[in-house]
Amino acid sequence: MKKSIHYLIYLTLFLSYLTTTTHSWKKEEFRNCNQTPFCKRARSRHPHSCNLIPSDVTITNNGDLVAKLKTKPNPDQDSSDDHNPDLEFSLSVYKDGILRVKIHENQEKDKKRFEVPDVVLDEFESQKLWLQRFKKEVIGDDLLESFVVYLSDGYEVVLRSDPFEVFVREQGSGGARILSFNSHGLFDFEQLRVKKEGEDWEERFRSHTDSRPYGPQSISFDVSFYGADFVYGIPEHATSLALKPTSGPGVEESEPYRLFNLDVFEYLAESPFGLYGSIPFMLSHGKSHGTSGFFWLNAAEMQIDVLGSGWDAESKIALPSDQKRIDTLWMSEAGIVDAFFFVGPKPKDVVKQYASVTGTSAMPQLFATGYHQCRWNYKDEEDVKNVDSKFDEHDIPYDVLWLDIEHTDGKRYFTWDRTLFPNPEQMQNDLASRGRRMVTIVDPHIKRDEGYHIHKEASKNGYYVKDASGKDYDGWCWPGSSSYIDMVNPDIRSWWADKFALSEYVGSTPSLYIWNDMNEPSVFNGPEVTMPRDALHYGNVEHRELHNAYGYYFHMATSDGLLKRGGGNDRPFVLSRAFFPGTQRYGTVWTGDNTAEWEQLRVSIPMILTLGLTGITFSGADVGGFFGNPDTELLVRWYQVAAYLPFFRGHAHHDTKRREPWLFGERNTQLMRDAIRVRYTLLPYFYTLFREANVTGVPVARPLWMEFPEDEATYSNDEAFMVGNGLLVQGVYTQRAKDVTVYLPNGPTWFDLRSGAAFKGGKTYKIEVTDADIPVFQRAGTIIPRKDRFRRSTVQMENDPYTLVIAVDSSGAAEGELYIDDGKSYDFKQGAYLHRRFTFSDGKLTSVNLATLGTKFLSDCTIERIILLGHSSKPKSARIEPSNNVAEVELGPLQIRSGVQSSVLTIRKPNVRVSDDWTIKLL
Amino acid sequence: MNNLFIFITSISLFFFIINRSVVASFSSNDLIGVAPQDEVYYKELWSSGGGSVKCRDGSKSFTKAQLNDDFCDCFDGTDEPGTSACPTGKFYCRNAGHSPLIVFSSRINDGICDCCDGSDEYDGKTNCTNTCWEAGKVARDALKQKIATYQQGVTIRKHETDEAKISAAKDEAELSKLKSEEKVLKGIVEKLKEHKEQIEKVLEKERIQKEKEEKQKKEAEESKLKEQKGEDKVDEPVKSDDDKADILDNSPAGQEHAESALEVVHNAHASLDNGEEHSVMEEDTSEVAPVSDPDTGLGSKGEDATKDIDSLSREDLGREIGSRWTGKKTEQQNHDVDDVKNDDRTSVDVQDEESNGYDTETEEDHQNYEDDTEDHMDDVADEANDDSSSSYNYEPDEEVDMSDIESESNPSWFEKIKKTVRDVLQAINPLQTPVDTSEAETVRKEYDEANGKLLKLRSKISRLTKKLKSDFGPEKEFYSLYGQCFESKQNKYVYKVCPFKQATQEEGYSTTRLGNWKNFEESYSVMLFENGDNCWNGPDRSLKVRLRCGLKVEVADVNEPSRCEYAATLTTPALCLEGKLKELKDELEVLDKQQPQIHDEL
């Protein structure tokens, strides 16, 4: 009898599990647009309802164009009623085709609207072009004159008066539009005002009440991208690279893309829902114009609709242009309009333009570009020792071993659980003796424990974020009752940074680096698992105004701490989960708590590509998936793809089974070792690409269309990606795949790096795959540097010789670059680096110096092997100048592995130094 | 050093001779990284015509100029035994004074001294001091120590296996003795029962007779009374007599008595059992419901389990949300607010505290579980009771009672009981009437006693049968571990491993079952315990005990490499195998042989 009751219970539970299984994500615990008043209001506004007109248009002494935005007198309405004060409009133009528009309200009020500091580079201001004058022009049948200013060669900006609109166009009155603001009249700016009698400003969501003491203050507007086939960007969402429309005829009605940094438990692989970080930067790309971009610097909650074509058909008002375009609606709860328009026109131009505003990626240390091994948690020193030694036992390289929250004394960061980690220095030094680093976690929630020195100082000095009543905000996170450091204040950041000094962080050594998690911030008992919007920061700024930037400031402070610790000459490594524009200057991000499922492996590609497009190139996803147990095939496939992505770390939840690469039998160990080794052989190429990203902002992992902007077949491809301009990587995202479909972009020939076989571009191929690897192709015309020797970690690879792989194009030419420095310091800024360009043509390979600061960096490294793909003749030897030596040419393997064929032309032991100028001529 | 891929090669005298002759023809520098016994492979390179040698994988061949020229010609590394040029190459270091070592080619000139003789770092960038002599001494000492342990261990093991055979034989003998005793006792019990029933029948007859008489008497009186007062009823005394008869009438197999006695015990604990059952069910609801995907093992509280999180206090809400990541149940978190560190474990422990709160084991710590009350209970339950869903707690007195049949030093009990019964049967003639009530009482008592003994005997037989059915290894070398438990204290936990039974983790008064005995694995070098307490969001706990040679039986290095999958080592003489001892001795011999050489060289 009892038994049958048991069965009944199990059955019931099983049934309830069936009905809830697909949605472990707690949708109802997060606000949707309808539950978010500002979003609901903005979404229901009708096109062309904006009734503002610029007036008093002038050029200031600072070279800006300024105006007042006045409310148009409405003949139908009593003008005295509800009359808004004028808004302040300014328009500035910067080098390389960047337009900045600011719209603000009169700030002579008690409450100042928040303008996000510390994001726009100081250098950016110096790139401002001082406007001298504007032209006047009547647009179409307008009644009022509009104002036209120069933007860059071939582009100009128009401030249209009635209807109020700002747009960028190609030069000349008939010039094609590129980007526009408020072309659909959806601009609305809720100015701060006094509460009306009986008005209720509070907002309630579930058990939480937001006091909203300043009332409505949201901003919304429309932005149009002309000549666009697709729009991209605005991370972080687990969704496709090309953003699907969220609203419009024939579009399945969905939530807008939400930008609100949240700790989402078990996020879905396909959702416009906001995740851990926010970058309000959107790019468009299309055949006719190319690429353009729009960035709104605003740290409040944002919601963005991508409108399907015909969305405003009902308004029956003539479209501003019959050009193909994509319209978008941007809505934010607070802040100001501080918007940047980038004209492109090439994909790399736009990312460079964006980087000139928010900065390029920090140059990582070489070790950080290797493989990272993490788990929640490596439990104690013995565990660490054991995992470390297993890598050596299996001859698998890795660079960093990570410790999650359990290493601390009761989740008090900067401390150690001394039972489990009695000798942390010794442990780190032991790893360091084999060239390996350690990373520990430091989160922003501080345990409210009087005995904890960080808490004691922070509470004494008033360094915590306050609640609406002015008391230290008390939330709940890993340690239980916790408060959160107010990182918006530069003084507090400086205090925090000092905590990373070796003398302060007891048990730390110079080989220890940091991981910032939970910095959205995650608050287990807060509304939507984060901090209440009415919490107060430094300068009386409400949390609602800067929420999306909170994690950024925390990341910044931690990164500054490591910089200080290293005397300013040790490049920090800090991984952060939350991010904001500018994060790329401080470190690395990853895509948070993903799940061990094929579709999550699949979506990690567009997520990482999107981060790269929006500035953060150094990013990755947890290999294997954080939650759940990947089956072995998924794990292997994940390693195989992730080896080509910028940040390469295996990580797992503590409920999962161990999954270090050697735990799945000899064959699978071999497969994962091969995948990791591929990464290590390509590190010279990766490091060169990281340098390119550091200089230009062009990401390491690129969508195909960034390299092939003319090839429409690439625009929405987010299964394959480019590493630099030379490698095309196609992941395998399904179980037991026997073949995969690969599109090779139009133009060059492609060489399969497994066989050396050549494929014509512009076609889709069905490529056979085995479990051994995934399809990777080298683009003809490129030269890729490798180091084909295997070591324990990057440190031991320093003196190893290079291999160059030359993929010759149809004219017999190819080129590539190699960047080398000491891999850790900032000496490269003083010229301590090598930057070589290799060019191959007419059977001759030449190495020339690209370094502009002269060579102060020495390397004895040589080139041991040069592989030629697609070279037509069959030379027997090669002459090296200036040494006049002769090197043999023979058939060799493309990758050295047992059982491979010697099928590719190989120059054997040219042994030229990478630091020298030389030529090698095939004879 | 231990972490490296270690190859210990035994070098035979034969190879020494060959090596000498080969080495004479080329400088050892050319063959850096080649093991002495492999040097012949490269011999052809020095042949007069400038010959070539095939790569071992047969793919190519290479010349003397290509040998160790820091360029990989053979993809299997044949041509580059002494450089890092081939990824799959292996480097041999002689390590004179210690054991030779073969390291991956990735270790060559990587700035880290891997070989104790430093031969892997020869590019002049790294200075390695030769530590082979010291390391070799340490290794030899350790090896000697190990051999000493093995030597003693082998002796102990021999002794133990002999003992085991004797014990097993004894146990077998005991078992057959018990079985024959059981047979006899069964006969006695049956006789007594018969006797008793006859007496009871007679008694019953007498009673009915008496009743009748009394009735008549009463009726006579009543009719008298009736005349005075009218009618009345006097059924009651009769009924009470019936009741009495029921109790006396002990059912056919004589088991009902035991059963009802157990029932009493059972009932006494019924409320506790129910409590336990209840809490288990509660656990189930909260544990099973959240599992949303059995494949991935994802745990999340389903919508149903989300409860109404809005109604929670701020603190409880924080715990509830946090528990999604930690897998920690909020209801239990209240207990350990200050120690979130051991979240998962604590929560489990708290559950166990609830469910095991009435388990005798937590209060009494029986090192020898054979005396464990619970065990007896199971056996008795098997015999006497088919209700599989119940679990019993024994009355301690029962066990005390047990000693009279258990004690082998007192074998006379059996004779005694036989005699007593004989006396009783002779003295009392059941057919004689009227029955002496005191005699009836004696028969009844004797019957109860004999029957109780029979039950105990049966339980003992069942236990012994079970023991003898266990797998004690090919030489019964694990025989002595039966019925024993071994403890290891690690931080705040006490781990208890009871071979052939179960393994637990104890913290204070809470016990978590790590697993029930499954079997030996990997040719008796691993003990497996499975189906332990379930982990929230995870698998059932399990423990893998790796066995090692040691003089004493000791548990050590308890670990939890993956969540709820435990590992430990257990030293026991049972693993001190003669063959292994020989291997170790050979190993030492090889090491010792190298020694004179290093002296020569030094």
Side-chain angles (χ1 to χ4, degrees), chain A residues 2-3 5-6 9-10 13 16-17 20-21 23-26 28-29 206-209 263-266 375-376 379 382 389 391-395 406 408-411 417 419-420 433-435 447 476 478-480 524-526 529 577 593 595-597 626-629 653-658 677 788-792 796 799-801 864-865 890-893 896-902 906-909, chain B residues 2-5 57 60 65-66 69-76 79 83-88 104-112 114 125 274 277 280-281 284-285 288-289 291-304 306 308-315 317-319 321-327 337-338 340-345 388-389 491 536-539 557 559-563 565:
Chain A
K2 264 175 202 159
K3 257 186 192 163
I5 288 174
H6 265 290
I9 289 169
Y10 280 119
L13 292 173
S16 69
Y17 142 75
T20 59
T21 177
H23 292 283
S24 46
W25 176 49
K26 304 283 171 304
E28 73 286 352
E29 287 175 23
R206 298 177 70 93
S207 64
H208 304 276
T209 302
D263 183 0
V264 182
F265 181 72
E266 290 178 1
R375 176 179 176 82
W376 178 19
K379 293 182 333 189
E382 203 185 320
S389 67
F391 274 99
D392 283 345
E393 202 175 295
H394 293 93
D395 210 18
E406 312 299 334
T408 59
D409 174 13
K411 317 295 184 307
D417 182 325
T419 323
L420 304 173
S433 73
R434 286 177 302 283
K447 186 175 172 75
W476 195 273
W478 300 129
F524 292 156
N525 61 350
V529 200
R577 193 168 69 182
D593 298 347
T595 300
E597 288 166 359
F626 176 70
F627 291 115
N629 293 308
H653 186 273
H654 69 20
D655 281 352
T656 62
K657 283 176 172 296
R658 289 271 171 153
R677 281 181 167 187
D788 284 354
R789 303 202 174 186
F790 298 130
R791 299 296 191 181
R792 286 181 171 91
Q796 294 88 31
N799 299 313
D800 284 341
E864 63 169 335
R865 181 186 296 109
E890 59 179 23
L891 287 182
I896 306 171
R897 277 189 206 170
S898 234
V900 295
Q901 296 292 310
S902 289
T906 303
I907 304 177
R908 192 177 190 279
K909 293 173 76 176
Chain B
N2 295 329
N3 306 333
L4 296 175
F5 181 82
D57 64 6
K60 277 185 168 182
Q66 286 169 303
D69 71 338
D70 205 21
F71 187 85
C72 188
D73 291 296
C74 302
F75 310 142
D76 67 353
D79 65 316
T83 77
S84 58
C86 294
T88 52
F104 294 118
S105 62
S106 61
R107 313 296 200 255
I108 302 167
N109 291 327
D110 70 345
I112 299 165
D114 291 293
K125 289 188 174 122
N274 282 346
E277 203 86 48
V280 166
M281 268 151 60
D284 288 344
T285 22
V288 179
V291 176
S292 61
D293 186 342
D295 288 329
T296 56
L298 286 189
S300 65
K301 308 214 162 186
E303 312 290 317
D304 51 321
T306 307
D308 189 7
I309 65 162
D310 294 347
S311 64
L312 296 173
S313 73
R314 279 277 172 271
E315 202 171 302
L317 179 61
R319 288 202 180 93
I321 301 292
S323 72
R324 290 175 184 164
W325 283 269
T326 58
V337 176
D338 290 324
V340 188
K341 190 171 72 198
N342 295 297
D343 33 17
D344 44 348
R345 216 168 257 171
S388 58
S389 72
N491 301 328
W536 197 84
N537 239 352
D557 307 326
N559 215 324
E560 191 186 352
S562 277
R563 190 157 173 258
E565 291 178 9

Side-chain angles (χ1 to χ4, degrees), chain A residues 96-365:
Chain A
D96 298 326
I98 301 171
L99 163 70
R100 182 180 194 174
V101 170
K102 273 186 159 190
I103 303 174
H104 217 309
E105 66 177 303
N106 188 313
Q107 283 284 59
E108 322 246 301
K109 291 175 179 164
D110 294 344
K111 167 71 188 166
K112 301 266 179 282
R113 280 177 174 262
F114 183 65
E115 297 185 50
V116 192
D118 308 305
V119 170
V120 176
L121 294 177
D122 294 340
E123 304 94 274
F124 180 67
E125 273 310 309
S126 67
Q127 292 170 19
K128 193 161 90 175
L129 306 180
W130 289 48
L131 294 174
Q132 306 292 327
R133 58 184 171 277
F134 51 73
K135 275 188 313 194
K136 288 188 180 177
E137 181 185 317
V138 175
I139 309 284
D141 305 329
D142 285 3
L143 299 174
L144 297 177
E145 278 181 322
S146 295
F147 307 87
V148 182
V149 294
Y150 167 87
L151 176 58
S152 67
D153 283 354
Y155 297 100
E156 53 196 12
V157 186
V158 179
L159 167 59
R160 193 180 183 190
S161 297
D162 190 14
F164 163 58
E165 163 182 40
V166 179
F167 63 87
V168 175
R169 70 178 184 199
E170 285 171 4
Q171 211 161 11
S173 54
R177 286 175 172 234
I178 309 298
L179 286 157
S180 70
F181 172 91
N182 200 36
S183 302
H184 298 275
L186 287 169
F187 176 53
D188 186 58
F189 192 117
E190 294 176 330
Q191 300 197 38
L192 294 169
R193 56 181 173 84
V194 180
K195 196 174 181 175
K196 283 180 216 152
E197 191 89 15
E199 205 177 356
D200 179 13
W201 277 354
E202 283 188 356
E203 278 181 11
R204 278 157 294 270
F205 179 66
R206 298 177 70 93
S207 64
H208 304 276
T209 302
D210 174 3
S211 62
R212 285 218 319 160
Y214 303 103
Q217 48 183 306
S218 76
I219 299 169
S220 54
F221 51 77
D222 58 277
V223 173
S224 300
F225 299 87
Y226 298 82
D229 294 332
F230 292 100
V231 288
Y232 310 87
I234 57 168
E236 182 172 43
H237 306 100
T239 188
S240 55
L241 178 69
L243 298 171
K244 296 183 209 43
T246 52
S247 165
V251 173
E252 195 189 332
E253 206 59 24
S254 92
E255 286 293 300
Y257 293 102
R258 188 180 188 195
L259 291 181
F260 193 60
N261 295 359
L262 289 175
D263 183 0
V264 182
F265 181 72
E266 290 178 1
Y267 64 75
L268 304 178
E270 175 55 62
S271 167
F273 193 78
L275 296 179
Y276 312 94
S278 297
I279 301 182
F281 170 41
M282 187 181 274
L283 301 90
S284 82
H285 183 72
K287 182 87 170 170
S288 55
H289 164 68
T291 319
S292 59
F294 173 78
F295 164 46
W296 183 7
L297 177 54
N298 184 307
E301 177 179 2
M302 205 179 280
Q303 301 264 9
I304 303 163
D305 265 319
V306 174
L307 304 167
S309 66
W311 66 276
D312 65 340
E314 280 173 27
S315 70
K316 286 176 186 156
I317 292 174
L319 301 174
S321 160
D322 55 5
Q323 273 178 267
K324 187 174 187 180
R325 64 171 208 285
I326 294 177
D327 301 323
T328 56
L329 172 61
W330 298 62
M331 309 161 255
S332 172
E333 189 185 9
I336 64 161
V337 177
D338 188 0
F340 299 77
F341 301 75
F342 309 110
V343 299
K346 290 204 162 61
K348 289 179 190 172
D349 296 331
V350 171
V351 296
K352 286 175 185 172
Q353 286 153 2
Y354 173 74
S356 70
V357 178
T358 63
T360 61
S361 289
M363 187 64 199
Q365 292 206 31

Side-chain angles (χ1 to χ4, degrees), chain B residues 218-341:
Chain B
K218 256 183 203 163
E219 272 169 5
E221 279 170 25
E222 268 168 21
S223 55
K224 246 187 242 168
L225 271 171
K226 226 183 200 173
E227 284 161 19
Q228 299 161 9
K229 278 184 181 179
E231 255 185 300
D232 212 339
K233 247 188 172 179
V234 274
D235 276 352
E236 240 158 289
V238 178
K239 201 182 171 205
S240 80
D241 277 354
D242 277 343
D243 270 354
K244 210 171 174 186
D246 268 353
I247 292 166
L248 293 174
D249 180 17
N250 271 329
S251 64
Q255 284 180 353
E256 231 169 69
H257 185 106
E259 216 172 272
S260 57
L262 292 172
E263 213 74 66
V264 173
V265 177
H266 188 192
N267 287 341
H269 287 270
S271 58
L272 304 185
D273 286 341
N274 282 346
E276 192 178 322
E277 203 86 48
H278 186 61
S279 77
V280 166
M281 268 151 60
E282 260 179 5
E283 263 168 52
D284 288 344
T285 22
S286 46
E287 282 182 17
V288 179
V291 176
S292 61
D293 186 342
D295 288 329
T296 56
L298 286 189
S300 65
K301 308 214 162 186
E303 312 290 317
D304 51 321
T306 307
K307 303 174 192 154
D308 189 7
I309 65 162
D310 294 347
S311 64
L312 296 173
S313 73
R314 279 277 172 271
E315 202 171 302
D316 288 342
L317 179 61
R319 288 202 180 93
E320 173 70 27
I321 301 292
S323 72
R324 290 175 184 164
W325 283 269
T326 58
K328 190 175 180 185
K329 289 164 69 187
T330 47
E331 305 83 67
Q332 275 132 16
Q333 281 176 330
N334 299 327
H335 298 278
D336 51 53
V337 176
D338 290 324
D339 193 7
V340 188
K341 190 171 72 198

Side-chain angles (χ1 to χ4, degrees), chain A residues 38 51 67 407 412 488 543 582 600 633 901:
Chain A
F38 82 86
N51 58 351
H407 83 275
R412 294 170 187 86
V488 185
H543 187 69
Q600 295 254 345
E633 188 187 357
Q901 296 292 310

Side-chain angles (χ1 to χ4, degrees), chain A residues 58-67 89-94 100 125 128-132 134 149:
Chain A
T58 49
I59 302 278
T60 65
N61 296 338
N62 293 330
D64 302 323
L65 180 150
V66 299
F89 173 94
S90 81
L91 183 159
S92 324
V93 166
Y94 295 79
R100 182 180 194 174
E125 273 310 309
K128 193 161 90 175
L129 306 180
W130 289 48
L131 294 174
Q132 306 292 327
F134 51 73
V149 294

